[in-house]
Every structure is written in structure tokens, then in C-alpha cells.
mmCIF file of all heavy atoms in Angstrom:
data_model
loop_
_atom_site.group_PDB
_atom_site.id
_atom_site.type_symbol
_atom_site.label_atom_id
_atom_site.label_comp_id
_atom_site.label_asym_id
_atom_site.label_seq_id
_atom_site.Cartn_x
_atom_site.Cartn_y
_atom_site.Cartn_z
ATOM 1 N N SER T 1 2.436 1.275 -3.187
ATOM 2 C CA SER T 1 2.835 1.360 -1.785
ATOM 3 C C SER T 1 2.288 0.179 -1.007
ATOM 4 O O SER T 1 1.354 -0.514 -1.454
ATOM 5 C CB SER T 1 2.312 2.656 -1.165
ATOM 6 O OG SER T 1 0.895 2.619 -1.069
ATOM 7 N N GLU T 2 2.837 -0.047 0.167
ATOM 8 C CA GLU T 2 2.341 -1.138 1.005
ATOM 9 C C GLU T 2 0.881 -0.895 1.406
ATOM 10 O O GLU T 2 0.090 -1.840 1.513
ATOM 11 C CB GLU T 2 3.217 -1.313 2.245
ATOM 12 C CG GLU T 2 3.356 -0.078 3.103
ATOM 13 C CD GLU T 2 4.378 -0.253 4.219
ATOM 14 O OE1 GLU T 2 5.202 -1.179 4.159
ATOM 15 O OE2 GLU T 2 4.329 0.559 5.172
ATOM 16 N N GLU T 3 0.521 0.386 1.604
ATOM 17 C CA GLU T 3 -0.861 0.703 1.963
ATOM 18 C C GLU T 3 -1.821 0.388 0.821
ATOM 19 O O GLU T 3 -2.895 -0.185 1.034
ATOM 20 C CB GLU T 3 -0.992 2.182 2.351
ATOM 21 C CG GLU T 3 -0.321 2.562 3.657
ATOM 22 C CD GLU T 3 1.170 2.830 3.483
ATOM 23 O OE1 GLU T 3 1.646 2.816 2.322
ATOM 24 O OE2 GLU T 3 1.837 3.054 4.513
ATOM 25 N N GLU T 4 -1.440 0.752 -0.408
ATOM 26 C CA GLU T 4 -2.292 0.469 -1.562
ATOM 27 C C GLU T 4 -2.397 -1.031 -1.798
ATOM 28 O O GLU T 4 -3.480 -1.552 -2.105
ATOM 29 C CB GLU T 4 -1.732 1.155 -2.808
ATOM 30 C CG GLU T 4 -2.451 0.805 -4.110
ATOM 31 C CD GLU T 4 -3.905 1.227 -4.125
ATOM 32 O OE1 GLU T 4 -4.294 2.131 -3.344
ATOM 33 O OE2 GLU T 4 -4.670 0.643 -4.923
ATOM 34 N N GLU T 5 -1.294 -1.734 -1.659
ATOM 35 C CA GLU T 5 -1.333 -3.185 -1.834
ATOM 36 C C GLU T 5 -2.283 -3.813 -0.827
ATOM 37 O O GLU T 5 -3.099 -4.687 -1.184
ATOM 38 C CB GLU T 5 0.067 -3.781 -1.695
ATOM 39 C CG GLU T 5 0.112 -5.286 -1.972
ATOM 40 C CD GLU T 5 1.518 -5.842 -1.894
ATOM 41 O OE1 GLU T 5 2.209 -5.857 -2.922
ATOM 42 O OE2 GLU T 5 1.933 -6.255 -0.790
ATOM 43 N N TRP T 6 -2.192 -3.385 0.415
ATOM 44 C CA TRP T 6 -3.069 -3.947 1.435
ATOM 45 C C TRP T 6 -4.534 -3.573 1.182
ATOM 46 O O TRP T 6 -5.439 -4.396 1.395
ATOM 47 C CB TRP T 6 -2.649 -3.498 2.832
ATOM 48 C CG TRP T 6 -3.581 -3.995 3.895
ATOM 49 C CD1 TRP T 6 -4.319 -3.272 4.767
ATOM 50 C CD2 TRP T 6 -3.895 -5.374 4.174
ATOM 51 N NE1 TRP T 6 -5.072 -4.086 5.569
ATOM 52 C CE2 TRP T 6 -4.828 -5.383 5.221
ATOM 53 C CE3 TRP T 6 -3.470 -6.582 3.628
ATOM 54 C CZ2 TRP T 6 -5.355 -6.559 5.742
ATOM 55 C CZ3 TRP T 6 -3.994 -7.759 4.136
ATOM 56 C CH2 TRP T 6 -4.926 -7.749 5.191
ATOM 57 N N ASN T 7 -4.793 -2.364 0.690
ATOM 58 C CA ASN T 7 -6.165 -1.961 0.381
ATOM 59 C C ASN T 7 -6.787 -2.860 -0.693
ATOM 60 O O ASN T 7 -8.001 -3.074 -0.698
ATOM 61 C CB ASN T 7 -6.202 -0.502 -0.087
ATOM 62 C CG ASN T 7 -5.977 0.476 1.049
ATOM 63 O OD1 ASN T 7 -6.180 0.146 2.222
ATOM 64 N ND2 ASN T 7 -5.558 1.686 0.726
ATOM 65 N N ARG T 8 -5.957 -3.379 -1.586
ATOM 66 C CA ARG T 8 -6.450 -4.304 -2.614
ATOM 67 C C ARG T 8 -6.684 -5.705 -2.047
ATOM 68 O O ARG T 8 -7.632 -6.389 -2.433
ATOM 69 C CB ARG T 8 -5.448 -4.385 -3.770
ATOM 70 C CG ARG T 8 -5.279 -3.101 -4.555
ATOM 71 C CD ARG T 8 -4.191 -3.257 -5.614
ATOM 72 N NE ARG T 8 -4.013 -2.043 -6.405
ATOM 73 C CZ ARG T 8 -3.121 -1.923 -7.391
ATOM 74 N NH1 ARG T 8 -2.337 -2.948 -7.698
ATOM 75 N NH2 ARG T 8 -3.017 -0.792 -8.063
ATOM 76 N N LEU T 9 -5.815 -6.115 -1.144
ATOM 77 C CA LEU T 9 -5.865 -7.481 -0.626
ATOM 78 C C LEU T 9 -6.893 -7.674 0.486
ATOM 79 O O LEU T 9 -7.542 -8.730 0.560
ATOM 80 C CB LEU T 9 -4.492 -7.887 -0.097
ATOM 81 C CG LEU T 9 -3.387 -8.063 -1.134
ATOM 82 C CD1 LEU T 9 -2.033 -8.198 -0.443
ATOM 83 C CD2 LEU T 9 -3.658 -9.279 -2.009
ATOM 84 N N GLU T 10 -7.042 -6.687 1.350
ATOM 85 C CA GLU T 10 -7.878 -6.856 2.543
ATOM 86 C C GLU T 10 -9.309 -7.300 2.223
ATOM 87 O O GLU T 10 -9.793 -8.281 2.825
ATOM 88 C CB GLU T 10 -7.899 -5.561 3.359
ATOM 89 C CG GLU T 10 -8.704 -5.687 4.646
ATOM 90 C CD GLU T 10 -8.709 -4.420 5.469
ATOM 91 O OE1 GLU T 10 -8.438 -3.337 4.895
ATOM 92 O OE2 GLU T 10 -8.988 -4.504 6.681
ATOM 93 N N PRO T 11 -10.014 -6.639 1.300
ATOM 94 C CA PRO T 11 -11.393 -7.091 1.052
ATOM 95 C C PRO T 11 -11.476 -8.499 0.484
ATOM 96 O O PRO T 11 -12.443 -9.228 0.751
ATOM 97 C CB PRO T 11 -11.934 -6.049 0.055
ATOM 98 C CG PRO T 11 -10.730 -5.402 -0.542
ATOM 99 C CD PRO T 11 -9.684 -5.440 0.515
ATOM 100 N N VAL T 12 -10.471 -8.906 -0.271
ATOM 101 C CA VAL T 12 -10.470 -10.251 -0.835
ATOM 102 C C VAL T 12 -10.252 -11.285 0.259
ATOM 103 O O VAL T 12 -10.973 -12.289 0.348
ATOM 104 C CB VAL T 12 -9.393 -10.394 -1.926
ATOM 105 C CG1 VAL T 12 -9.346 -11.819 -2.450
ATOM 106 C CG2 VAL T 12 -9.654 -9.416 -3.063
ATOM 107 N N LEU T 13 -9.263 -11.058 1.119
ATOM 108 C CA LEU T 13 -8.986 -12.008 2.201
ATOM 109 C C LEU T 13 -10.171 -12.124 3.145
ATOM 110 O O LEU T 13 -10.527 -13.234 3.580
ATOM 111 C CB LEU T 13 -7.734 -11.579 2.964
ATOM 112 C CG LEU T 13 -6.420 -11.610 2.180
ATOM 113 C CD1 LEU T 13 -5.272 -11.106 3.046
ATOM 114 C CD2 LEU T 13 -6.116 -13.014 1.662
ATOM 115 N N ASN T 14 -10.791 -10.999 3.462
ATOM 116 C CA ASN T 14 -11.962 -11.042 4.342
ATOM 117 C C ASN T 14 -13.119 -11.799 3.690
ATOM 118 O O ASN T 14 -13.814 -12.573 4.351
ATOM 119 C CB ASN T 14 -12.399 -9.621 4.699
ATOM 120 C CG ASN T 14 -11.444 -8.954 5.681
ATOM 121 O OD1 ASN T 14 -10.745 -9.628 6.435
ATOM 122 N ND2 ASN T 14 -11.399 -7.630 5.679
ATOM 123 N N ALA T 15 -13.317 -11.581 2.395
ATOM 124 C CA ALA T 15 -14.424 -12.227 1.688
ATOM 125 C C ALA T 15 -14.192 -13.723 1.494
ATOM 126 O O ALA T 15 -15.148 -14.490 1.345
ATOM 127 C CB ALA T 15 -14.653 -11.555 0.336
ATOM 128 N N LEU T 16 -12.929 -14.147 1.481
ATOM 129 C CA LEU T 16 -12.613 -15.565 1.280
ATOM 130 C C LEU T 16 -12.869 -16.416 2.523
ATOM 131 O O LEU T 16 -13.003 -17.637 2.416
ATOM 132 C CB LEU T 16 -11.151 -15.730 0.863
ATOM 133 C CG LEU T 16 -10.806 -15.448 -0.593
ATOM 134 C CD1 LEU T 16 -9.300 -15.514 -0.804
ATOM 135 C CD2 LEU T 16 -11.518 -16.432 -1.517
ATOM 136 N N LYS T 17 -12.959 -15.791 3.677
ATOM 137 C CA LYS T 17 -13.144 -16.552 4.918
ATOM 138 C C LYS T 17 -14.427 -17.363 4.857
ATOM 139 O O LYS T 17 -15.506 -16.848 4.599
ATOM 140 C CB LYS T 17 -13.176 -15.600 6.107
ATOM 141 C CG LYS T 17 -11.847 -14.919 6.390
ATOM 142 C CD LYS T 17 -11.950 -13.915 7.534
ATOM 143 C CE LYS T 17 -10.624 -13.224 7.782
ATOM 144 N NZ LYS T 17 -10.712 -12.180 8.826
ATOM 145 N N GLY T 18 -14.265 -18.664 5.070
ATOM 146 C CA GLY T 18 -15.412 -19.551 5.051
ATOM 147 C C GLY T 18 -15.859 -19.979 3.666
ATOM 148 O O GLY T 18 -16.755 -20.808 3.528
ATOM 149 N N LYS T 19 -15.217 -19.427 2.627
ATOM 150 C CA LYS T 19 -15.621 -19.748 1.252
ATOM 151 C C LYS T 19 -14.767 -20.869 0.644
ATOM 152 O O LYS T 19 -15.231 -21.582 -0.239
ATOM 153 C CB LYS T 19 -15.500 -18.509 0.367
ATOM 154 C CG LYS T 19 -16.337 -17.312 0.798
ATOM 155 C CD LYS T 19 -17.795 -17.514 0.474
ATOM 156 C CE LYS T 19 -18.586 -16.210 0.474
ATOM 157 N NZ LYS T 19 -18.266 -15.256 1.522
ATOM 158 N N ILE T 20 -13.507 -20.971 1.080
ATOM 159 C CA ILE T 20 -12.634 -22.023 0.572
ATOM 160 C C ILE T 20 -11.967 -22.716 1.757
ATOM 161 O O ILE T 20 -11.851 -22.142 2.844
ATOM 162 C CB ILE T 20 -11.549 -21.480 -0.402
ATOM 163 C CG1 ILE T 20 -10.647 -20.461 0.298
ATOM 164 C CG2 ILE T 20 -12.197 -20.879 -1.642
ATOM 165 C CD1 ILE T 20 -9.478 -20.004 -0.576
ATOM 166 N N SER T 21 -11.518 -23.939 1.526
ATOM 167 C CA SER T 21 -10.922 -24.714 2.623
ATOM 168 C C SER T 21 -9.422 -24.921 2.453
ATOM 169 O O SER T 21 -8.770 -25.449 3.352
ATOM 170 C CB SER T 21 -11.613 -26.080 2.730
ATOM 171 O OG SER T 21 -11.485 -26.802 1.519
ATOM 172 N N VAL T 22 -8.871 -24.515 1.303
ATOM 173 C CA VAL T 22 -7.435 -24.690 1.069
ATOM 174 C C VAL T 22 -6.672 -23.475 1.598
ATOM 175 O O VAL T 22 -7.255 -22.407 1.790
ATOM 176 C CB VAL T 22 -7.142 -24.890 -0.438
ATOM 177 C CG1 VAL T 22 -7.790 -26.163 -0.934
ATOM 178 C CG2 VAL T 22 -7.593 -23.678 -1.253
ATOM 179 N N PRO T 23 -5.367 -23.610 1.842
ATOM 180 C CA PRO T 23 -4.581 -22.479 2.351
ATOM 181 C C PRO T 23 -4.548 -21.316 1.359
ATOM 182 O O PRO T 23 -4.531 -21.509 0.141
ATOM 183 C CB PRO T 23 -3.175 -23.071 2.528
ATOM 184 C CG PRO T 23 -3.353 -24.540 2.514
ATOM 185 C CD PRO T 23 -4.559 -24.835 1.707
ATOM 186 N N VAL T 24 -4.497 -20.109 1.919
ATOM 187 C CA VAL T 24 -4.359 -18.897 1.122
ATOM 188 C C VAL T 24 -2.944 -18.355 1.286
ATOM 189 O O VAL T 24 -2.444 -18.203 2.400
ATOM 190 C CB VAL T 24 -5.381 -17.823 1.538
ATOM 191 C CG1 VAL T 24 -5.117 -16.506 0.803
ATOM 192 C CG2 VAL T 24 -6.796 -18.298 1.273
ATOM 193 N N SER T 25 -2.316 -18.096 0.154
ATOM 194 C CA SER T 25 -0.988 -17.485 0.110
ATOM 195 C C SER T 25 -1.144 -16.043 -0.349
ATOM 196 O O SER T 25 -1.992 -15.738 -1.188
ATOM 197 C CB SER T 25 -0.101 -18.266 -0.868
ATOM 198 O OG SER T 25 1.070 -17.548 -1.188
ATOM 199 N N VAL T 26 -0.322 -15.157 0.194
ATOM 200 C CA VAL T 26 -0.334 -13.760 -0.243
ATOM 201 C C VAL T 26 1.022 -13.426 -0.847
ATOM 202 O O VAL T 26 2.065 -13.632 -0.231
ATOM 203 C CB VAL T 26 -0.666 -12.807 0.924
ATOM 204 C CG1 VAL T 26 -0.359 -11.366 0.552
ATOM 205 C CG2 VAL T 26 -2.132 -12.935 1.300
ATOM 206 N N ASP T 27 0.981 -12.926 -2.068
ATOM 207 C CA ASP T 27 2.176 -12.574 -2.829
ATOM 208 C C ASP T 27 2.571 -11.146 -2.467
ATOM 209 O O ASP T 27 1.964 -10.180 -2.951
ATOM 210 C CB ASP T 27 1.843 -12.702 -4.323
ATOM 211 C CG ASP T 27 3.054 -12.524 -5.221
ATOM 212 O OD1 ASP T 27 4.075 -12.011 -4.742
ATOM 213 O OD2 ASP T 27 2.961 -12.884 -6.404
ATOM 214 N N THR T 28 3.561 -11.002 -1.590
ATOM 215 C CA THR T 28 3.997 -9.671 -1.151
ATOM 216 C C THR T 28 5.442 -9.702 -0.688
ATOM 217 O O THR T 28 5.917 -10.724 -0.209
ATOM 218 C CB THR T 28 3.109 -9.132 -0.012
ATOM 219 O OG1 THR T 28 3.491 -7.773 0.288
ATOM 220 C CG2 THR T 28 3.252 -9.972 1.254
ATOM 221 N N TYR T 29 6.133 -8.567 -0.839
ATOM 222 C CA TYR T 29 7.461 -8.447 -0.249
ATOM 223 C C TYR T 29 7.474 -7.398 0.848
ATOM 224 O O TYR T 29 8.535 -7.029 1.356
ATOM 225 C CB TYR T 29 8.523 -8.138 -1.311
ATOM 226 C CG TYR T 29 8.188 -7.012 -2.264
ATOM 227 C CD1 TYR T 29 8.299 -5.681 -1.880
ATOM 228 C CD2 TYR T 29 7.801 -7.286 -3.565
ATOM 229 C CE1 TYR T 29 8.015 -4.651 -2.758
ATOM 230 C CE2 TYR T 29 7.510 -6.271 -4.464
ATOM 231 C CZ TYR T 29 7.618 -4.949 -4.050
ATOM 232 O OH TYR T 29 7.333 -3.935 -4.939
ATOM 233 N N TYR T 30 6.292 -6.931 1.237
ATOM 234 C CA TYR T 30 6.179 -5.946 2.316
ATOM 235 C C TYR T 30 5.888 -6.646 3.647
ATOM 236 O O TYR T 30 4.844 -7.297 3.787
ATOM 237 C CB TYR T 30 5.045 -4.967 2.042
ATOM 238 C CG TYR T 30 5.264 -4.012 0.904
ATOM 239 C CD1 TYR T 30 4.296 -3.855 -0.087
ATOM 240 C CD2 TYR T 30 6.419 -3.233 0.829
ATOM 241 C CE1 TYR T 30 4.467 -2.958 -1.125
ATOM 242 C CE2 TYR T 30 6.597 -2.332 -0.206
ATOM 243 C CZ TYR T 30 5.628 -2.188 -1.181
ATOM 244 O OH TYR T 30 5.807 -1.294 -2.215
ATOM 245 N N PRO T 31 6.745 -6.513 4.658
ATOM 246 C CA PRO T 31 6.446 -7.092 5.968
ATOM 247 C C PRO T 31 5.141 -6.563 6.563
ATOM 248 O O PRO T 31 4.401 -7.318 7.207
ATOM 249 C CB PRO T 31 7.653 -6.674 6.821
ATOM 250 C CG PRO T 31 8.769 -6.519 5.827
ATOM 251 C CD PRO T 31 8.127 -5.960 4.603
ATOM 252 N N TYR T 32 4.864 -5.289 6.333
ATOM 253 C CA TYR T 32 3.609 -4.677 6.810
ATOM 254 C C TYR T 32 2.405 -5.449 6.280
ATOM 255 O O TYR T 32 1.470 -5.789 7.019
ATOM 256 C CB TYR T 32 3.574 -3.223 6.344
ATOM 257 C CG TYR T 32 2.242 -2.520 6.474
ATOM 258 C CD1 TYR T 32 1.872 -1.894 7.658
ATOM 259 C CD2 TYR T 32 1.364 -2.453 5.387
ATOM 260 C CE1 TYR T 32 0.647 -1.217 7.768
ATOM 261 C CE2 TYR T 32 0.150 -1.798 5.479
ATOM 262 C CZ TYR T 32 -0.202 -1.184 6.669
ATOM 263 O OH TYR T 32 -1.405 -0.524 6.766
ATOM 264 N N VAL T 33 2.415 -5.749 4.986
ATOM 265 C CA VAL T 33 1.310 -6.487 4.365
ATOM 266 C C VAL T 33 1.292 -7.932 4.856
ATOM 267 O O VAL T 33 0.224 -8.499 5.116
ATOM 268 C CB VAL T 33 1.420 -6.436 2.831
ATOM 269 C CG1 VAL T 33 0.358 -7.317 2.175
ATOM 270 C CG2 VAL T 33 1.296 -4.996 2.326
ATOM 271 N N ALA T 34 2.466 -8.527 5.001
ATOM 272 C CA ALA T 34 2.546 -9.910 5.476
ATOM 273 C C ALA T 34 1.902 -10.052 6.857
ATOM 274 O O ALA T 34 1.145 -10.998 7.106
ATOM 275 C CB ALA T 34 4.001 -10.364 5.520
ATOM 276 N N GLU T 35 2.196 -9.122 7.741
ATOM 277 C CA GLU T 35 1.637 -9.169 9.094
ATOM 278 C C GLU T 35 0.117 -9.063 9.063
ATOM 279 O O GLU T 35 -0.593 -9.823 9.725
ATOM 280 C CB GLU T 35 2.220 -8.039 9.939
ATOM 281 C CG GLU T 35 3.689 -8.221 10.289
ATOM 282 C CD GLU T 35 4.272 -7.021 11.019
ATOM 283 O OE1 GLU T 35 3.521 -6.040 11.240
ATOM 284 O OE2 GLU T 35 5.466 -7.059 11.367
ATOM 285 N N LYS T 36 -0.385 -8.107 8.301
ATOM 286 C CA LYS T 36 -1.826 -7.905 8.230
ATOM 287 C C LYS T 36 -2.516 -9.078 7.539
ATOM 288 O O LYS T 36 -3.612 -9.493 7.935
ATOM 289 C CB LYS T 36 -2.137 -6.585 7.516
ATOM 290 C CG LYS T 36 -1.838 -5.350 8.356
ATOM 291 C CD LYS T 36 -2.325 -4.088 7.693
ATOM 292 C CE LYS T 36 -2.256 -2.900 8.642
ATOM 293 N NZ LYS T 36 -3.179 -3.037 9.796
ATOM 294 N N ALA T 37 -1.872 -9.619 6.499
ATOM 295 C CA ALA T 37 -2.459 -10.744 5.778
ATOM 296 C C ALA T 37 -2.568 -11.969 6.677
ATOM 297 O O ALA T 37 -3.577 -12.693 6.638
ATOM 298 C CB ALA T 37 -1.619 -11.061 4.548
ATOM 299 N N ALA T 38 -1.542 -12.222 7.477
ATOM 300 C CA ALA T 38 -1.576 -13.364 8.392
ATOM 301 C C ALA T 38 -2.720 -13.222 9.393
ATOM 302 O O ALA T 38 -3.433 -14.187 9.687
ATOM 303 C CB ALA T 38 -0.243 -13.493 9.113
ATOM 304 N N LYS T 39 -2.923 -12.013 9.899
ATOM 305 C CA LYS T 39 -4.020 -11.770 10.842
ATOM 306 C C LYS T 39 -5.376 -11.941 10.167
ATOM 307 O O LYS T 39 -6.371 -12.284 10.823
ATOM 308 C CB LYS T 39 -3.896 -10.373 11.442
ATOM 309 C CG LYS T 39 -2.720 -10.219 12.389
ATOM 310 C CD LYS T 39 -2.605 -8.796 12.912
ATOM 311 C CE LYS T 39 -1.389 -8.651 13.830
ATOM 312 N NZ LYS T 39 -1.216 -7.248 14.295
ATOM 313 N N ALA T 40 -5.411 -11.706 8.842
ATOM 314 C CA ALA T 40 -6.663 -11.828 8.091
ATOM 315 C C ALA T 40 -6.896 -13.243 7.577
ATOM 316 O O ALA T 40 -7.877 -13.494 6.875
ATOM 317 C CB ALA T 40 -6.666 -10.839 6.930
#
């Protein structure tokens, strides 16, 4: 589900902040996840 996918991605995206300098891409076809990933 989109909720489960986001639950897997959210801690990784949050933990990556400040750790790498290159762009992060998120592999998803859910608009819900895309919106949250962009904010993260």
C-alpha cells in the first residue's frame, strides 16, 4: 500500500538529510508518496 511504502521510505529520507550532497530520487508510482517524499 502507499502507506506501507511511505513507512519504509520516511525514515531513510529523514536519515539521509545532511549525509549526502547529491539529489535523492524516490521510486514510486503513488502520488501520495511522491508528495510526502518531496516534502522530506
Side-chain angles (χ1 to χ4, degrees):
S1 68
E2 57 187 17
E3 291 83 5
E4 174 63 21
E5 184 177 270
W6 177 240
N7 287 338
R8 294 176 179 180
L9 292 169
E10 182 179 21
V12 177
L13 295 178
N14 287 335
L16 281 174
K17 292 177 181 176
K19 301 285 198 320
I20 61 174
S21 59
V22 297
V24 174
S25 166
V26 167
D27 187 344
T28 186
Y29 49 77
Y30 291 130
Y32 167 86
V33 174
E35 290 175 359
K36 287 188 169 295
K39 290 178 182 177

